[in-house]
PDB file of all heavy atoms in Angstrom:
ATOM      1  N   ASP A  78      16.157 -31.496  11.576  1.00 97.00           N
ATOM      2  CA  ASP A  78      15.338 -31.752  12.773  1.00 97.00           C
ATOM      3  C   ASP A  78      15.460 -30.606  13.774  1.00 97.00           C
ATOM      4  O   ASP A  78      14.493 -30.266  14.458  1.00 97.00           O
ATOM      5  CB  ASP A  78      15.771 -33.058  13.452  1.00 97.00           C
ATOM      6  CG  ASP A  78      15.403 -34.302  12.641  1.00 97.00           C
ATOM      7  OD1 ASP A  78      14.557 -34.192  11.736  1.00 97.00           O
ATOM      8  OD2 ASP A  78      15.970 -35.373  12.922  1.00 97.00           O
ATOM      9  N   VAL A  79      16.635 -30.030  13.878  1.00 98.00           N
ATOM     10  CA  VAL A  79      16.824 -28.904  14.806  1.00 98.00           C
ATOM     11  C   VAL A  79      16.077 -27.670  14.290  1.00 98.00           C
ATOM     12  O   VAL A  79      15.364 -26.991  15.041  1.00 98.00           O
ATOM     13  CB  VAL A  79      18.324 -28.583  14.998  1.00 98.00           C
ATOM     14  CG1 VAL A  79      18.522 -27.245  15.716  1.00 98.00           C
ATOM     15  CG2 VAL A  79      19.016 -29.704  15.773  1.00 98.00           C
ATOM     16  N   ILE A  80      16.192 -27.420  12.987  1.00 98.00           N
ATOM     17  CA  ILE A  80      15.539 -26.228  12.415  1.00 98.00           C
ATOM     18  C   ILE A  80      14.018 -26.303  12.589  1.00 98.00           C
ATOM     19  O   ILE A  80      13.361 -25.310  12.870  1.00 98.00           O
ATOM     20  CB  ILE A  80      15.892 -26.079  10.914  1.00 98.00           C
ATOM     21  CG1 ILE A  80      17.403 -25.885  10.734  1.00 98.00           C
ATOM     22  CG2 ILE A  80      15.128 -24.920  10.279  1.00 98.00           C
ATOM     23  CD1 ILE A  80      17.883 -26.024   9.292  1.00 98.00           C
ATOM     24  N   THR A  81      13.470 -27.508  12.440  1.00 97.00           N
ATOM     25  CA  THR A  81      12.006 -27.652  12.487  1.00 97.00           C
ATOM     26  C   THR A  81      11.486 -27.936  13.892  1.00 97.00           C
ATOM     27  O   THR A  81      10.290 -28.125  14.080  1.00 97.00           O
ATOM     28  CB  THR A  81      11.537 -28.781  11.554  1.00 97.00           C
ATOM     29  OG1 THR A  81      12.223 -29.992  11.918  1.00 97.00           O
ATOM     30  CG2 THR A  81      11.822 -28.461  10.109  1.00 97.00           C
ATOM     31  N   GLY A  82      12.386 -28.000  14.882  1.00 97.00           N
ATOM     32  CA  GLY A  82      11.940 -28.181  16.263  1.00 97.00           C
ATOM     33  C   GLY A  82      11.715 -29.616  16.672  1.00 97.00           C
ATOM     34  O   GLY A  82      11.245 -29.889  17.777  1.00 97.00           O
ATOM     35  N   LYS A  83      12.066 -30.566  15.803  1.00 97.00           N
ATOM     36  CA  LYS A  83      11.855 -31.977  16.132  1.00 97.00           C
ATOM     37  C   LYS A  83      12.882 -32.444  17.155  1.00 97.00           C
ATOM     38  O   LYS A  83      12.604 -33.284  18.006  1.00 97.00           O
ATOM     39  CB  LYS A  83      11.960 -32.802  14.848  1.00 97.00           C
ATOM     40  CG  LYS A  83      11.559 -34.240  15.001  1.00 97.00           C
ATOM     41  CD  LYS A  83      11.616 -34.950  13.661  1.00 97.00           C
ATOM     42  CE  LYS A  83      11.364 -36.438  13.853  1.00 97.00           C
ATOM     43  NZ  LYS A  83      11.815 -37.211  12.699  1.00 97.00           N
ATOM     44  N   THR A  84      14.103 -31.905  17.040  1.00 97.00           N
ATOM     45  CA  THR A  84      15.181 -32.247  17.972  1.00 97.00           C
ATOM     46  C   THR A  84      15.686 -30.974  18.634  1.00 97.00           C
ATOM     47  O   THR A  84      15.880 -29.956  17.955  1.00 97.00           O
ATOM     48  CB  THR A  84      16.345 -32.923  17.205  1.00 97.00           C
ATOM     49  OG1 THR A  84      15.855 -34.142  16.656  1.00 97.00           O
ATOM     50  CG2 THR A  84      17.531 -33.220  18.115  1.00 97.00           C
ATOM     51  N   ARG A  85      15.869 -31.041  19.943  1.00 97.00           N
ATOM     52  CA  ARG A  85      16.401 -29.887  20.680  1.00 97.00           C
ATOM     53  C   ARG A  85      17.903 -30.037  20.847  1.00 97.00           C
ATOM     54  O   ARG A  85      18.373 -31.078  21.322  1.00 97.00           O
ATOM     55  CB  ARG A  85      15.791 -29.822  22.080  1.00 97.00           C
ATOM     56  CG  ARG A  85      14.324 -29.516  22.085  1.00 97.00           C
ATOM     57  CD  ARG A  85      14.059 -28.092  21.635  1.00 97.00           C
ATOM     58  NE  ARG A  85      12.652 -27.942  21.291  1.00 97.00           N
ATOM     59  CZ  ARG A  85      12.145 -26.935  20.603  1.00 97.00           C
ATOM     60  NH1 ARG A  85      12.937 -25.976  20.162  1.00 97.00           N
ATOM     61  NH2 ARG A  85      10.867 -26.872  20.335  1.00 97.00           N
ATOM     62  N   PRO A  86      18.677 -29.030  20.474  1.00 98.00           N
ATOM     63  CA  PRO A  86      20.126 -29.139  20.654  1.00 98.00           C
ATOM     64  C   PRO A  86      20.527 -29.018  22.121  1.00 98.00           C
ATOM     65  O   PRO A  86      19.794 -28.445  22.928  1.00 98.00           O
ATOM     66  CB  PRO A  86      20.666 -27.962  19.845  1.00 98.00           C
ATOM     67  CG  PRO A  86      19.562 -26.984  19.779  1.00 98.00           C
ATOM     68  CD  PRO A  86      18.277 -27.758  19.846  1.00 98.00           C
ATOM     69  N   ASP A  87      21.692 -29.549  22.457  1.00 97.00           N
ATOM     70  CA  ASP A  87      22.249 -29.401  23.818  1.00 97.00           C
ATOM     71  C   ASP A  87      22.636 -27.951  24.043  1.00 97.00           C
ATOM     72  O   ASP A  87      22.518 -27.423  25.136  1.00 97.00           O
ATOM     73  CB  ASP A  87      23.523 -30.242  23.996  1.00 97.00           C
ATOM     74  CG  ASP A  87      23.316 -31.690  23.600  1.00 97.00           C
ATOM     75  OD1 ASP A  87      22.148 -32.099  23.464  1.00 97.00           O
ATOM     76  OD2 ASP A  87      24.327 -32.391  23.413  1.00 97.00           O
ATOM     77  N   CYS A  88      23.174 -27.336  22.997  1.00 97.00           N
ATOM     78  CA  CYS A  88      23.539 -25.929  23.108  1.00 97.00           C
ATOM     79  C   CYS A  88      23.598 -25.317  21.715  1.00 97.00           C
ATOM     80  O   CYS A  88      23.482 -26.014  20.712  1.00 97.00           O
ATOM     81  CB  CYS A  88      24.886 -25.777  23.819  1.00 97.00           C
ATOM     82  SG  CYS A  88      26.203 -26.682  23.020  1.00 97.00           S
ATOM     83  N   GLY A  89      23.761 -24.010  21.670  1.00 98.00           N
ATOM     84  CA  GLY A  89      23.787 -23.303  20.404  1.00 98.00           C
ATOM     85  C   GLY A  89      22.548 -22.451  20.237  1.00 98.00           C
ATOM     86  O   GLY A  89      21.696 -22.396  21.129  1.00 98.00           O
ATOM     87  N   SER A  90      22.463 -21.745  19.107  1.00 98.00           N
ATOM     88  CA  SER A  90      21.289 -20.925  18.853  1.00 98.00           C
ATOM     89  C   SER A  90      20.829 -21.103  17.416  1.00 98.00           C
ATOM     90  O   SER A  90      21.625 -21.434  16.529  1.00 98.00           O
ATOM     91  CB  SER A  90      21.587 -19.455  19.154  1.00 98.00           C
ATOM     92  OG  SER A  90      22.627 -18.999  18.321  1.00 98.00           O
ATOM     93  N   ALA A  91      19.534 -20.915  17.219  1.00 98.00           N
ATOM     94  CA  ALA A  91      18.919 -21.077  15.896  1.00 98.00           C
ATOM     95  C   ALA A  91      17.880 -19.983  15.738  1.00 98.00           C
ATOM     96  O   ALA A  91      16.895 -19.943  16.467  1.00 98.00           O
ATOM     97  CB  ALA A  91      18.270 -22.453  15.777  1.00 98.00           C
ATOM     98  N   TRP A  92      18.125 -19.070  14.796  1.00 97.00           N
ATOM     99  CA  TRP A  92      17.221 -17.943  14.581  1.00 97.00           C
ATOM    100  C   TRP A  92      16.698 -17.960  13.161  1.00 97.00           C
ATOM    101  O   TRP A  92      17.434 -18.235  12.218  1.00 97.00           O
ATOM    102  CB  TRP A  92      17.948 -16.615  14.845  1.00 97.00           C
ATOM    103  CG  TRP A  92      18.243 -16.424  16.291  1.00 97.00           C
ATOM    104  CD1 TRP A  92      19.271 -16.973  16.998  1.00 97.00           C
ATOM    105  CD2 TRP A  92      17.475 -15.651  17.236  1.00 97.00           C
ATOM    106  NE1 TRP A  92      19.196 -16.601  18.315  1.00 97.00           N
ATOM    107  CE2 TRP A  92      18.104 -15.782  18.489  1.00 97.00           C
ATOM    108  CE3 TRP A  92      16.326 -14.862  17.128  1.00 97.00           C
ATOM    109  CZ2 TRP A  92      17.617 -15.145  19.635  1.00 97.00           C
ATOM    110  CZ3 TRP A  92      15.850 -14.231  18.262  1.00 97.00           C
ATOM    111  CH2 TRP A  92      16.499 -14.374  19.506  1.00 97.00           C
ATOM    112  N   PHE A  93      15.402 -17.652  13.050  1.00 97.00           N
ATOM    113  CA  PHE A  93      14.732 -17.517  11.756  1.00 97.00           C
ATOM    114  C   PHE A  93      14.615 -16.013  11.529  1.00 97.00           C
ATOM    115  O   PHE A  93      13.810 -15.339  12.182  1.00 97.00           O
ATOM    116  CB  PHE A  93      13.367 -18.191  11.864  1.00 97.00           C
ATOM    117  CG  PHE A  93      12.592 -18.303  10.584  1.00 97.00           C
ATOM    118  CD1 PHE A  93      13.227 -18.485   9.363  1.00 97.00           C
ATOM    119  CD2 PHE A  93      11.200 -18.277  10.609  1.00 97.00           C
ATOM    120  CE1 PHE A  93      12.492 -18.617   8.193  1.00 97.00           C
ATOM    121  CE2 PHE A  93      10.461 -18.409   9.445  1.00 97.00           C
ATOM    122  CZ  PHE A  93      11.102 -18.576   8.240  1.00 97.00           C
ATOM    123  N   GLY A  94      15.456 -15.457  10.672  1.00 94.00           N
ATOM    124  CA  GLY A  94      15.545 -14.008  10.552  1.00 94.00           C
ATOM    125  C   GLY A  94      16.132 -13.411  11.818  1.00 94.00           C
ATOM    126  O   GLY A  94      16.756 -14.096  12.631  1.00 94.00           O
ATOM    127  N   GLN A  95      15.914 -12.105  11.987  1.00 90.00           N
ATOM    128  CA  GLN A  95      16.550 -11.389  13.099  1.00 90.00           C
ATOM    129  C   GLN A  95      15.921 -11.646  14.455  1.00 90.00           C
ATOM    130  O   GLN A  95      16.577 -11.517  15.478  1.00 90.00           O
ATOM    131  CB  GLN A  95      16.452  -9.865  12.851  1.00 90.00           C
ATOM    132  CG  GLN A  95      17.146  -9.397  11.601  1.00 90.00           C
ATOM    133  CD  GLN A  95      18.608  -9.734  11.655  1.00 90.00           C
ATOM    134  OE1 GLN A  95      19.308  -9.303  12.569  1.00 90.00           O
ATOM    135  NE2 GLN A  95      19.080 -10.521  10.721  1.00 90.00           N
ATOM    136  N   THR A  96      14.619 -11.958  14.450  1.00 91.00           N
ATOM    137  CA  THR A  96      13.889 -11.840  15.716  1.00 91.00           C
ATOM    138  C   THR A  96      13.164 -13.106  16.152  1.00 91.00           C
ATOM    139  O   THR A  96      12.553 -13.116  17.214  1.00 91.00           O
ATOM    140  CB  THR A  96      12.841 -10.708  15.619  1.00 91.00           C
ATOM    141  OG1 THR A  96      12.007 -10.963  14.491  1.00 91.00           O
ATOM    142  CG2 THR A  96      13.499  -9.342  15.475  1.00 91.00           C
TER     143      THR A  96
END
Side-chain angles (χ1 to χ4, degrees):
D78 290 343
V79 168
I80 298 168
T81 56
K83 189 177 174 198
T84 297
R85 293 291 164 195
D87 308 345
C88 57
S90 61
W92 290 80
F93 187 33
Q95 299 300 301
T96 55

